[in-house]
């Protein structure tokens, strides 16, 4: 969907890209092999490709388009944690002559509009101000200790690659080490074409007369890290040499503690969303991810780099990461958003958080859903402005005159989602004014457009949020559980019953993917409807065929178990 604007963020109405911009665009086309695509749109600021289903902003006087996160939401000055001494002013006429014309955050070229402090000669892209680099890294790939970003323009020598840097190093205070921002994510284990074994990155080689096997120059063991082979003593390489495009194929191999039996390989390829991340259990599409080549384990790159311990507003004690290796016992209820999940979780003194809620910081900024910053509160309840339900924990607006609140379940909804039988992505809309009626494509009832909903920008169909994400948006199908773990503390009929079909002698329940293509959607055993939500409940009972029921909130699952009585190994006696 495109939003048309002619405001301050488009001061120059022409269709011309600079020569450097065109070179960058051609590189993207070559890397992603987009030669035969009928139409390509590139963001005029970051120069990244704008996908067909992406939100975009355009100018009606020229053909320029932008990602929403690449344009300022207002012309007002902002305060940045990376430049606390003065507010940053929005400039719209390009960088001033006295500046170096680069963003101080990412060191890339500035475009027409950006934030700037003329007193300190400090500049920052709009996209970098919306999504700044982290001030603190708890588990960086290059070092075992926490790193802190030092926002100063001081010359330093990077301890990962051995080359000089000029600004914003990440510092380990106990070790006295400094790293480039781009070096904190150096891959740990890689394959290079100069050696037959994997080489691993180390921050210190130790004393020795080391020589790089690629450039044949000396490796300074005192001041820089390097790649070395654990099998072949003396086989080392500079970090910069080992990660060159003509030496390294770009593939990364890691050994993740949640899957120590096999190595994981980094993949940068488009997927159809059928595979789900083991950590956040959300589908994988175009995000970078790691995959096991010997089994079906797969995990987002961001999820693979989650800290083992972190602080969160829901407890005064630190949280520890639980990777749920025992899948049959991994179902839990998130204490922040109240939804059930079977992915990784953070735990602290009986409090459990799923991955989405654990990453929600105390100040929440999403200007697409609300124009002001939201903050977390645990002192009072609130009614969510998206789903209009009362919740114990909400994000509140920081503006005193605004009474907007947002629950954690709505704050962590996916911005884009795929649904079976639809070729295009469905995009989350945060409410809009409409004169006509909107109808949900799933339940075929009226949809209130002032509430949040999903829509397809190509076909125009609309959906209720719950009809798209279902009752288990943070759960992965395919694993069986005890009744209580999925349905909660139910009525007395839900005691363990002897089963001739399950390994441990109990009947089970399974979250079943409702994506049947070759056969009709299973009917609910109670209401007889064919539920179209993404996950339905499959009951693994004694001496009977597969039984399917609607979601828990519809009460069909509870009703079915209430209406059935176990009568011995001969089978079930139903009362409907």
């Amino acid at each position: 969907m495109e939003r048309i604007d002619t405001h301050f963020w488009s001061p120059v109405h022409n269709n011309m890209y600079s020569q450097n911009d065109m070179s960058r665009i051609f590189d993207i086309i070559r890397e992603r092999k987009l030669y035969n695509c009928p139409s390509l749109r590139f963001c005029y600021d970051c120069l990244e490709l704008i996908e067909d289903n992406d939100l975009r902003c355009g100018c009606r006087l020229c053909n320029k388009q932008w990602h929403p996160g690449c344009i300022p939401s207002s012309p007002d000055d902002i305060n940045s944690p990376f430049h606390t001494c003065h507010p940053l002013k929005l400039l719209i006429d390009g960088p001033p002559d006295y500046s170096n014309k680069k963003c101080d955050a990412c060191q890339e070229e500035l475009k027409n509009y950006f934030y700037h402090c003329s007193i300190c000669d400090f500049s920052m892209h709009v996209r970098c101000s919306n999504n700044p680099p982290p001030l603190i890294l708890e588990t960086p790939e290059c070092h075992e200790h926490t790193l802190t970003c030092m926002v100063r323009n001081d010359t330093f020598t990077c301890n990962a690659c051995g080359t000089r840097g000029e600004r914003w190093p990440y510092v380990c205070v106990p070790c006295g080490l400094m790293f480039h921002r781009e070096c904190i994510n150096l891959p740990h284990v890689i394959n290079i074409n100069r050696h037959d074994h994997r080489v691993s990155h180390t921050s210190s080689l130790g004393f020795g007369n080391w020589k790089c096997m690629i450039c044949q120059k000396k490796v300074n063991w005192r001041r820089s890290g390097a790649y070395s082979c654990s099998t072949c003593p003396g086989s080392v390489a500079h970090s910069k040499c080992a990660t060159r495009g003509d030496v390294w194929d770009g593939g990364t191999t890691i050994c993740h503690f949640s899957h120590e039996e096999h190595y994981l390989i980094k993949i940068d390829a488009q997927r159809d969303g059928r595979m789900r991340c083991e950590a956040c259990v959300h589908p994988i599409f175009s995000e970078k991810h790691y995959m096991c080549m010997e089994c079906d384990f797969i995990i987002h790159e961001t999820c693979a780099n989650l800290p083992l311990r972190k602080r969160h507003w829901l407890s005064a004690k630190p949280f520890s990461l639980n990777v749920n290796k025992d899948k049959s016992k991994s179902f839990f209820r998130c204490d922040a958003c109240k939804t059930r999940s079977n992915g990784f979780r953070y735990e602290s003194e009986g409090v459990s958080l799923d991955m989405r809620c654990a990453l929600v910081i105390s100040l929440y900024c999403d200007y697409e859903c609300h124009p002001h910053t939201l903050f977390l509160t645990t002192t009072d309840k609130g009614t969510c402005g998206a789903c209009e339900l009362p919740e114990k924990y909400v994000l509140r607006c920081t503006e005193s005159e605004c009474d907007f609140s947002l629950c954690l379940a709505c704050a962590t909804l996916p911005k884009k989602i795929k649904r079976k039988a639809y070729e295009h992505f469905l995009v989350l809309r945060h409410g809009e004014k409409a004169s006509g009626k909107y109808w949900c494509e799933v339940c075929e009832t009226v949809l209130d457009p002032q509430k949040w909903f999903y829509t397809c920008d190509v076909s125009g169909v609309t959906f209720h949020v719950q009809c798209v994400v279902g009752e288990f948006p943070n759960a992965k199908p395919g694993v069986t559980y005890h009744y209580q773990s999925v349905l909660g503390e139910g009525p007395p009929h839900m005691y363990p019953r002897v089963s001739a079909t399950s390994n441990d002698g109990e009947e089970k329940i399974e979250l079943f993917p409702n994506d049947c293509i070759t056969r009709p959607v299973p009917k609910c055993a109670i209401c007889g409807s064919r539920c179209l939500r993404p996950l339905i409940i499959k009951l693994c009972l004694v001496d009977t065929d597969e039984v399917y029921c609607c979601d828990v909130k519809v009460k069909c699952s509870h009703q079915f178990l209430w209406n059935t009585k176990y009568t011995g190994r001969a089978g079930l006696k139903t009362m409907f």
Side-chain angles (χ1 to χ4, degrees), residues 540-557:
C540 305
L541 303 175
V542 180
D543 299 332
T544 186
D545 294 332
E546 297 175 344
V547 177
Y548 299 90
C549 289
C550 291
D551 290 352
V552 178
K553 291 181 181 178
V554 184
K555 303 299 183 184
C556 290
S557 304

Side-chain angles (χ1 to χ4, degrees), residues 47 119 521 546:
L47 298 181
I119 300 174
V521 177
E546 297 175 344

Side-chain angles (χ1 to χ4, degrees), residues 375-383 391-394 396 405:
F375 72 97
L376 289 164
T377 175
T378 58
T379 57
D380 53 353
K381 299 180 180 180
T383 299
E391 296 293 343
K392 182 178 180 180
Y393 303 122
V394 293
R396 286 197 180 279
S405 297

Side-chain angles (χ1 to χ4, degrees), residues 369-370 374 382-391 394-396 403-408 410 429-431 448 450-452:
C369 79
H370 190 69
L374 306 178
T383 299
C384 177
C387 62
E388 299 185 358
L389 295 176
E391 296 293 343
V394 293
L395 297 145
R396 286 197 180 279
D403 193 28
F404 181 81
S405 297
L406 187 65
C407 71
L408 272 296
C410 292
R429 289 284 181 268
H430 304 93
D448 184 359
Q450 294 185 0
K451 295 182 180 180
W452 290 15

Side-chain angles (χ1 to χ4, degrees), residues 256-531:
H256 198 265
F257 70 96
S258 67
H259 194 71
E260 296 175 333
E261 55 269 32
H262 303 134
Y263 279 101
L264 306 179
I265 297 178
K266 187 176 180 179
I267 306 293
D268 187 7
Q270 193 86 12
R271 294 195 177 273
D272 59 6
R274 295 182 182 179
M275 303 186 73
R276 290 176 177 246
C277 172
E278 293 288 334
C280 68
V281 299
H282 280 241
I284 295 178
F285 295 105
S286 59
E287 307 91 345
K288 294 180 180 180
H289 55 277
Y290 290 99
M291 185 176 183
C292 179
M293 304 307 291
E294 300 185 41
C295 63
D296 59 355
F297 186 93
I298 190 169
I299 187 171
H300 287 118
E301 180 184 25
T302 53
C303 294
N305 294 322
L306 289 169
L308 298 181
R309 289 167 63 86
K310 77 182 310 293
R311 295 281 183 176
H312 195 271
W313 52 273
L314 206 56
S315 174
K317 301 291 185 180
F319 283 76
S320 299
L321 182 61
N322 183 338
V323 298
N324 294 339
K325 288 192 175 183
D326 188 353
K327 296 300 180 184
S328 64
K329 299 179 181 179
S330 65
F331 218 77
F332 69 97
R333 186 187 188 194
C334 175
D335 288 291
C337 66
K338 307 304 179 185
T339 58
R340 296 188 178 272
S341 176
N342 51 11
F344 292 2
R345 63 177 179 259
Y346 280 97
E347 295 177 318
S348 174
E349 297 186 330
V351 179
S352 296
L353 299 171
D354 61 33
M355 293 297 98
R356 296 267 173 164
C357 291
L359 298 179
V360 175
I361 60 176
S362 56
L363 289 179
Y364 178 87
C365 299
D366 186 350
Y367 298 122
E368 292 182 30
C369 79
H370 190 69
H372 307 139
T373 301
L374 306 178
F375 72 97
L376 289 164
T377 175
T378 58
T379 57
D380 53 353
K381 299 180 180 180
T383 299
C384 177
C387 62
E388 299 185 358
L389 295 176
E391 296 293 343
K392 182 178 180 180
Y393 303 122
V394 293
L395 297 145
R396 286 197 180 279
C397 183
T398 56
E399 300 294 326
S400 58
E401 67 276 6
C402 183
D403 193 28
F404 181 81
S405 297
L406 187 65
C407 71
L408 272 296
C410 292
T412 55
L413 284 172
K415 301 296 183 184
K416 295 193 302 183
I417 194 171
K418 274 273 191 176
R419 179 173 170 80
K420 67 170 186 174
Y422 287 93
E423 177 184 358
H424 305 284
F425 279 97
L426 303 181
V427 182
L428 181 64
R429 289 284 181 268
H430 304 93
E432 57 186 44
K433 296 180 180 179
S435 56
K437 288 185 177 181
Y438 286 25
W439 292 85
C440 176
E441 192 75 8
V442 174
C443 64
E444 297 182 348
T445 61
V446 176
L447 180 152
D448 184 359
Q450 294 185 0
K451 295 182 180 180
W452 290 15
F453 63 94
Y454 281 98
T455 184
C456 175
D457 290 333
V458 178
S459 63
V461 293
T462 55
F463 304 82
H464 289 115
V465 169
Q466 286 301 317
C467 289
V468 173
V469 301
E471 191 176 351
F472 303 100
N474 297 327
K476 184 179 180 180
V479 183
T480 57
Y481 302 95
H482 295 285
Y483 291 118
Q484 286 84 350
S485 64
V486 178
L487 301 182
E489 296 297 330
H493 68 274
M494 287 172 55
Y495 56 85
R497 301 186 290 187
V498 177
S499 170
T501 59
S502 58
N503 295 331
D504 56 1
E506 293 182 8
E507 295 182 329
K508 294 293 186 70
I509 192 170
E510 179 183 345
L511 295 179
F512 188 75
N514 191 12
D515 56 358
C516 305
I517 299 177
T518 58
R519 60 190 178 95
V521 177
K523 283 187 178 181
C524 175
I526 287 293
C527 65
S529 65
R530 298 190 186 274
C531 182

